[in-house]
Amino acid sequence: MTPHPSALTIAGSDSGGGAGIQADLKTFSALGVYGTSAITAITAQNTRGVLAVETVSPGVVSAQIAAVLDDITPQAIKIGMLASPEIVAAVAEAIKGYRGPVVLDPVMVAKSGDRLLTEAAEVALIQRLLPFADVLTPNLPEAARLLGRGEACNAEETVAQGQALLALGARAVVMKGGHAEGAICIDRLVTPSAVTAMEQPRLTTRNTHGTGCSLSSAIAAELAKGAGFEAAVRRAQAWLHGAIRAADGMGIGSGHGPVHHFHEVWR
């Protein structure tokens, strides 16, 4: 019997349910993929902000990953919040023998502005995990921080930064356009051989909590089902656009509410 496609998310827990592990597992399920998880940190947060963070010990993070890889063998891995350099090192060691696609979302700051990755962990992420990334999914501020540059202000700078991230070890980079301006939101898939711009109308809503987590986990889900890089990113972007468009109808919380992960399922 051929097992159903599955994916592993390695990330932090969001008690409000809009981002992190919760968003990833909802995304996997919405896209028809069985979700497994390894929790790196526990955050106390809601739609208004992060109230507390407690990291999980590196040994327990490693044990969670090993338990999944030893039995379920997911077809893709998504990596999100890692918090500390010790957790970065533990994850890098735990997945070094994994042969499937890895999607790395360099989570640094929450939607509320709260910091989720220490400066030392940023350095460790570049050195230890970027070489594992089949797809890196930074927004424009994250890409700039990883490179030690100013934020890209136009298409040429965005592509140049994507290519610079390839040089650091990633095999493909999705330069997310959510932080840019204009009526059209453009995500750019940068690979060694091409740059592909993928466009969607920009939506006006404050309910965008978890968009980065959800996009990267959607890409991982599509890769787990066997899609190539471009097809996976296109499907993930289209799905997320629908989730953002339906977000206002959820009415969750009084701050930055979540996207509607099940907009294609719930009626």
Side-chain angles (χ1 to χ4, degrees):
M1 178 180 178
T2 301
H4 192 83
S6 64
L8 166 64
T9 170
I10 304 169
S13 170
D14 171 7
S15 57
I21 287 285
Q22 287 83 351
D24 296 341
L25 292 176
K26 290 174 185 177
T27 300
F28 293 163
S29 183
L31 294 174
V33 171
Y34 180 80
T36 62
S37 64
I39 297 176
T40 60
I42 308 297
T43 71
Q45 65 175 297
N46 52 33
T47 64
R48 296 193 299 269
V50 178
L51 305 177
V53 177
E54 183 169 316
T55 58
V56 175
S57 73
V60 172
V61 173
S62 296
Q64 293 175 83
I65 297 170
V68 173
L69 296 183
D70 182 57
D71 179 43
I72 298 173
T73 315
Q75 281 74 50
I77 292 177
K78 176 266 170 91
I79 302 173
M81 177 186 175
L82 297 174
S84 73
E86 293 79 13
I87 291 176
V88 172
V91 171
E93 182 67 20
I95 69 169
K96 67 180 182 182
Y98 180 71
R99 295 292 176 260
V102 175
V103 180
L104 176 59
D105 187 28
V107 178
M108 297 179 179
V109 179
K111 185 71 66 179
S112 59
D114 296 280
R115 191 171 183 82
L116 299 176
L117 190 70
T118 67
E119 291 186 12
E122 290 178 13
V123 175
L125 184 146
I126 293 168
Q127 295 176 344
R128 299 293 303 271
L129 277 179
L130 262 181
F132 286 106
D134 291 285
V135 184
L136 179 70
T137 61
N139 57 36
L140 297 184
E142 289 165 346
R145 191 167 187 92
L146 287 171
L147 294 167
R149 303 182 183 180
E151 190 173 324
C153 296
N154 53 48
E156 292 74 19
E157 291 179 4
T158 300
V159 171
Q161 291 196 9
Q163 292 169 335
L165 290 168
L166 290 179
L168 290 178
R171 281 170 281 288
V173 179
V174 178
M175 296 290 287
K176 297 182 292 192
H179 284 72
E181 298 181 351
I184 302 297
C185 180
I186 305 174
D187 296 330
R188 291 180 170 85
L189 173 62
V190 182
T191 69
S193 60
V195 176
T196 306
M198 304 181 188
E199 302 181 354
Q200 293 285 354
R202 191 176 299 278
L203 301 170
T204 301
T205 176
R206 67 182 301 176
N207 296 315
T208 56
H209 183 50
T211 50
C213 302
S214 300
L215 179 66
S216 58
S217 54
I219 293 170
E222 294 302 317
L223 292 173
K225 292 188 290 186
F229 285 168
E230 182 176 342
V233 176
R234 285 192 183 279
R235 167 62 175 139
Q237 189 206 47
W239 170 83
L240 180 62
H241 188 262
I244 297 171
R245 187 175 59 243
D248 287 355
M250 292 281 284
I252 304 297
S254 57
H256 293 286
V259 303
H260 192 338
H261 295 92
F262 295 105
H263 65 281
E264 293 181 344
V265 181
W266 293 0
R267 293 288 181 265

